[in-house]
Amino acid sequence: MSITAEVNHHGVFLPNPLTYDGGICTTVTDINFDNMEYPDLMKYLVKLTPGLVKKVYYCISNQSLARGLRFLMCDVDFKQCLADGHENGGRIVLYIEHHDEDIMDWIAEELSEDVIIEDDEDEDTEYEENDEPLLDDISFEHESDDEKISTKTIHEDEFLNKLCGNTNVTEHRPDGQLFPIHDPTLEWKRMVPICGMRFQDKEELKELLTNYSVANGFDLRYEINDKERVLVRCGKPKKNEQECPFRLWASWMSNERTLQIKSLETNHTCARIFHGGSLVTYKWIAKHFTKEILEDPTISTRKMQADIETNFNLKASTGQCKRAKRFALEEIEGCLEDHYAKLWSYAAELKRSNPGSTIKLDVNAMPDGKNYFNRFYVCFKSVRDGWIEGCRRVINLDGCFLKGVCRGELLSAIGRDANNHMYPITWAVCSVENKDTWKWFMELLMEDIGMVVGGGNGLTIISDQHKGLMEAVKEVLPQCEHRQCARHIYANFYKRFKGVFFKKAFWNAASSTTEDSFAFFMNRIKEVSVDAYNFLVDKACDAYENGVSESFNSAIVHSRARPIITMLEEIRLFVMQRTYTLKEKARKWKNDVCPSIREKIKDLNKDQRYWGVYPSGLQQFEARYKNQAFSVDIGEKTCSCRAWQLSGIPCLHAVAALAHLNISAESYVSLW
């Protein structure tokens, strides 16, 4: 049903009885008022009625002006007006007041002899026992101001209680009175205090006042703020300055557990402020920035300050933003003690939702009967099975620091998938990285991947030079090949032996695939410095650095600053999403060989044309270029450069031999 509006303008209100005299009535039928908001209505009325529009009122259908007139001052009032119009045949009647008369005061005088209560300088005024019940519990200690302020106050009369404000959220009391109830779901910009409005507690009232203050730039302050009452004024005038007349008084109702605004003066004469006043706290900022902080936990205080100034026209301090961010994260993630207390339940839920997975929680039992967190191990069955079925037998071990309030270490075992990218296998949180924790971690890892028997025979471990880790590998995996990460070796090497020569010679030696090549570059180092030669103890291999572990640590760097359960969940989601993404990409691949490996072979195919190939037996060839020569055995998948054996990918010489036979090198890539 569309709304027809009768707009009465260019007239004057006359009191006793209240009438609108000498005006013009304009009927508006071509406007969709339902899609309008209060500011849109005001703009339209200003255009419709040339001249100054002071105030706008509407009248409830089938009511006299004295009993049906309502003041339109916000979206809530306008929506109530439209709702009344729909209930009464799609017609609303609007009145425009051009002279700024106190119409509501006239209405109050017409309907009741005691609506406006003026402050009396005599603080000892007493009230009789038969006074209105809503005024029984009002303390007038705050009424001893020197000046007299005319203040709207709630009254027992039914109409006057309706006059206190129009809101969609109302409640009918047994005695027939109707007071507005604060709606905390209302948009913060639209929250305004209304005389008679009721709240479940002081926090709701304070939230409304803060939103009202920020939306309008008012410098509200609490003059009285205790368990029973609240007195709010606007600004603190300097000497010889007039105080802003705004004044709000609220206290608990006598006959129910409800906080109510008992008196209110809404007029303001103050200038706008931009600092937010004392009402804006870090908790208020945190509440309004929860979404932004949740989406970007690393958001800087400078970015927060800029966003607050843009969104709220408010200047917040660095300290407020820091406390707001910390409070919001605590609200989102829960306090740290709660996280550690819930680890047993978290472990049980992981086991329930991931059957066959290994989840271990280890605690330290104290003599006082309390248990303290020690370490937590996670290995999901689907991830573990994926590594066993499809990945090469190379595992990178590394530990990194946690960055949150509770310090500790995150240990991880990372493999390489068929596309030569990182493949997280298992991870654990511990209080400290030492031989004991690494031994505990590797024993669980070997049990999960089924390599307990044999002491790690056939397995290659790559790690940094952490002493506890190296000792643990010797005990748990005595038969494995333990490689040192070349980057960690070079970092220590660089501290003593600086220079471009040492850098290039080191990396040439580290990337050598043959003993002769390795010895050549090591001898060059020895010729320059015997000490540098003796320092280097690492041996060459195809994978000679711990890059995949560093990549994993970098990918979860922000998670490492979160409380433990949040961190573990973010790691789980990261691994789950990465696994899913890999599977989705793999479905689209048209070849058995992964893209990064195909790119490597494509580059080798370009360079193999410079090599001459000479058959020397059944599937045996010699590849020559200038003064270099290497023997290739296609059947055994070997080359004397050893790169094919180390990487599982045909080397340059093997690619040249396969091209001589017109065979694709991709068909000779190892299955893993």
Side-chain angles (χ1 to χ4, degrees):
M1 181 187 297
S2 61
I3 291 289
T4 298
E6 294 181 4
V7 184
N8 297 275
H9 54 94
H10 284 85
V12 295
F13 280 104
L14 298 177
N16 293 321
L18 185 68
T19 56
Y20 194 77
D21 186 53
I24 303 171
C25 182
T26 301
T27 302
V28 181
T29 59
D30 58 343
I31 298 295
N32 187 354
F33 290 97
D34 287 314
N35 290 337
M36 275 190 173
E37 292 187 353
Y38 175 74
D40 303 322
L41 174 69
M42 295 302 294
K43 291 178 182 178
Y44 174 76
L45 293 179
V46 169
K47 292 181 180 179
L48 178 67
T49 61
L52 186 62
V53 177
K54 292 289 186 179
K55 297 176 183 177
V56 178
Y57 300 87
Y58 78 94
C59 187
I60 297 177
S61 302
N62 303 320
Q63 294 281 351
S64 64
L65 284 181
R67 292 197 173 274
L69 201 67
R70 298 289 184 272
F71 183 24
L72 274 174
M73 61 179 294
C74 63
D75 280 337
V76 176
D77 300 333
F78 183 45
K79 292 186 183 300
Q80 184 66 29
C81 169
L82 295 177
D84 179 74
H86 283 296
E87 292 177 0
N88 294 277
R91 174 177 170 271
I92 60 174
V93 182
L94 303 178
Y95 293 89
I96 298 179
E97 212 287 301
H98 301 276
H99 305 285
D100 205 14
E101 298 287 357
D102 292 330
I103 309 302
M104 290 306 178
D105 287 351
W106 296 351
I107 293 175
E109 290 176 0
E110 185 173 335
L111 296 179
S112 174
E113 296 179 358
D114 192 18
V115 177
I116 305 299
I117 300 178
E118 292 197 359
D119 294 344
D120 194 1
E121 293 182 0
D122 184 4
E123 298 182 6
D124 297 329
T125 303
E126 296 183 358
Y127 292 84
E128 300 295 334
E129 292 183 358
N130 60 355
D131 279 354
E132 288 77 17
L134 286 173
L135 300 180
D136 285 349
D137 61 340
I138 299 180
S139 171
F140 286 91
E141 295 177 11
H142 64 285
E143 304 286 355
S144 60
D145 303 319
D146 293 334
E147 72 278 11
K148 293 183 179 180
I149 300 177
S150 179
T151 307
K152 295 288 193 310
T153 308
I154 57 177
H155 193 271
E156 183 178 305
D157 184 87
E158 178 182 356
F159 167 74
L160 294 178
N161 286 310
K162 292 181 180 180
L163 194 63
C164 291
N166 300 306
T167 177
N168 290 329
V169 186
T170 56
E171 178 180 310
H172 290 272
R173 288 159 54 99
D175 54 8
Q177 296 172 339
L178 183 65
F179 299 117
I181 299 175
H182 171 61
D183 181 8
T185 64
L186 194 66
E187 185 184 7
W188 72 274
K189 295 180 181 179
R190 296 168 55 190
M191 290 188 180
V192 293
I194 301 174
C195 190
M197 181 172 279
R198 295 179 294 165
F199 306 84
Q200 69 174 0
D201 52 35
K202 282 177 63 177
E203 295 305 317
E204 277 195 351
L205 173 60
K206 289 183 176 181
E207 181 74 12
L208 176 143
L209 291 172
T210 304
N211 293 333
Y212 175 64
S213 171
V214 173
N216 299 279
F218 297 140
D219 188 14
L220 302 186
R221 60 183 173 84
Y222 295 107
E223 192 166 293
I224 297 178
N225 182 16
D226 55 34
K227 294 181 180 180
E228 302 298 328
R229 57 205 178 149
V230 175
L231 173 61
V232 182
R233 292 190 182 276
C234 185
K236 200 167 185 179
K238 298 179 181 178
K239 193 174 183 179
N240 300 325
E241 286 187 1
Q242 184 178 1
E243 185 176 10
C244 179
F246 177 87
R247 179 174 172 280
L248 180 147
W249 173 259
S251 62
W252 293 97
M253 299 177 67
S254 59
N255 53 352
E256 59 182 76
R257 188 61 181 175
T258 302
L259 188 71
Q260 186 176 45
I261 299 177
K262 299 295 181 63
S263 62
L264 177 65
E265 173 59 56
T266 58
N267 290 330
H268 286 271
T269 59
C270 55
R272 183 181 182 93
I273 63 166
F274 297 93
H275 56 76
S278 60
L279 271 67
V280 178
T281 64
Y282 69 89
K283 291 184 179 180
W284 184 89
I285 295 175
K287 178 179 179 181
H288 288 267
F289 257 78
T290 299
K291 180 181 178 181
E292 288 80 358
I293 294 173
L294 182 61
E295 292 176 350
D296 182 14
T298 63
I299 184 172
S300 65
T301 53
R302 185 173 298 179
K303 176 72 164 53
M304 286 183 65
Q305 286 176 304
D307 289 348
I308 290 171
E309 187 166 2
T310 301
N311 298 335
F312 303 105
N313 202 11
L314 181 70
K315 293 181 179 178
S317 68
T318 302
Q320 280 181 312
C321 292
K322 287 182 178 179
R323 290 190 293 271
K325 181 179 175 181
R326 183 166 59 247
F327 179 80
L329 290 175
E330 288 176 354
E331 287 290 301
I332 294 168
E333 300 163 350
C335 68
L336 295 175
E337 284 190 7
D338 288 343
H339 273 254
Y340 284 98
K342 293 175 181 176
L343 275 177
W344 289 111
S345 300
Y346 179 67
E349 177 59 23
L350 288 181
K351 291 179 181 179
R352 185 199 66 79
S353 56
N354 300 274
S357 299
T358 304
I359 313 295
K360 298 286 185 180
L361 173 58
D362 189 20
V363 299
N364 292 326
M366 297 291 106
D368 59 0
K370 294 183 179 180
N371 292 325
Y372 289 88
F373 172 82
N374 188 24
R375 45 204 181 190
F376 191 90
Y377 175 90
V378 178
C379 183
F380 291 109
K381 181 179 185 299
S382 58
V383 177
R384 175 190 66 207
D385 292 347
W387 184 86
I388 293 173
E389 293 172 9
C391 292
R392 64 199 70 183
R393 296 301 179 258
V394 179
I395 295 179
N396 296 66
L397 298 177
D398 195 22
C400 58
F401 290 105
L402 302 183
K403 298 178 177 293
V405 177
C406 294
R407 299 297 180 180
E409 294 273 347
L410 179 72
L411 310 182
S412 61
I414 312 295
R416 291 176 183 263
D417 61 25
N419 204 28
N420 212 26
H421 291 171
M422 69 172 176
Y423 187 95
I425 306 170
T426 181
W427 51 93
V429 181
C430 60
S431 55
V432 64
E433 181 184 6
N434 55 24
K435 176 184 175 181
D436 179 60
T437 52
W438 272 118
K439 184 178 178 181
W440 169 80
F441 179 79
M442 283 188 287
E443 286 174 346
L444 291 173
L445 172 62
M446 292 302 105
E447 185 177 343
D448 279 324
I449 64 176
M451 298 189 71
V452 175
V453 179
N457 185 30
L459 180 68
T460 299
I461 296 293
I462 303 176
S463 71
D464 59 17
Q465 292 180 300
H466 188 277
K467 293 182 180 179
L469 173 55
M470 294 173 67
E471 292 299 319
V473 171
K474 290 178 183 178
E475 291 189 15
V476 181
L477 305 171
Q479 300 301 319
C480 81
E481 180 184 357
H482 189 187
R483 303 177 184 176
Q484 312 273 307
C485 175
R487 293 185 184 276
H488 289 87
I489 295 174
Y490 179 72
N492 294 325
F493 178 71
Y494 179 76
K495 294 176 182 178
R496 294 179 55 186
F497 308 100
K498 296 179 174 64
V500 176
F501 169 80
F502 285 121
K503 179 179 180 180
K504 289 188 175 181
F506 173 87
W507 287 110
N508 284 330
S511 58
S512 297
T513 58
T514 64
E515 292 184 12
D516 290 342
S517 175
F518 177 75
F520 172 78
F521 290 110
M522 290 297 290
N523 286 331
R524 291 192 62 189
I525 294 175
K526 187 176 183 180
E527 290 173 1
V528 175
S529 173
V530 176
D531 290 337
Y533 175 85
N534 293 331
F535 181 89
L536 297 175
V537 292
D538 189 31
K539 63 179 180 179
C541 57
D542 176 63
Y544 51 84
E545 46 81 26
N546 213 10
V548 290
S549 289
E550 300 298 337
S551 298
F552 178 72
N553 295 340
S554 177
I556 62 169
V557 63
H558 298 312
S559 302
R560 285 152 52 191
R562 314 296 286 276
I564 185 168
I565 291 182
T566 305
M567 178 188 69
L568 290 170
E569 276 295 278
E570 289 187 358
I571 294 174
R572 181 183 66 84
L573 292 174
F574 167 75
V575 174
M576 181 175 68
Q577 184 179 19
R578 184 173 181 82
T579 305
Y580 173 78
T581 303
L582 177 62
K583 288 180 179 178
E584 288 299 305
K585 288 182 178 180
R587 290 193 183 100
K588 300 176 183 178
W589 294 342
K590 298 179 180 179
N591 301 82
D592 293 333
V593 180
C594 297
S596 65
I597 312 303
R598 296 188 68 204
E599 284 296 320
K600 182 177 288 189
I601 293 176
K602 184 178 179 181
D603 292 337
L604 293 175
N605 272 317
K606 294 178 182 178
D607 297 332
Q608 61 85 18
R609 292 176 298 144
Y610 301 106
W611 288 76
V613 178
Y614 303 91
S616 61
L618 184 63
Q619 291 189 320
Q620 295 174 344
F621 302 87
E622 183 174 309
R624 301 183 66 89
Y625 174 68
K626 293 184 177 180
N627 62 340
Q628 301 180 63
F630 297 91
S631 60
V632 178
D633 190 325
I634 300 298
E636 296 294 329
K637 296 182 180 180
T638 62
C639 178
S640 59
C641 77
R642 298 182 64 228
W644 193 357
Q645 298 93 296
L646 286 169
S647 66
I649 303 169
C651 62
L652 176 62
H653 322 113
V655 171
L658 289 168
H660 179 77
L661 295 174
N662 199 23
I663 298 175
S664 172
E666 291 184 8
S667 60
Y668 279 82
V669 173
S670 297
L671 292 177
W672 41 263

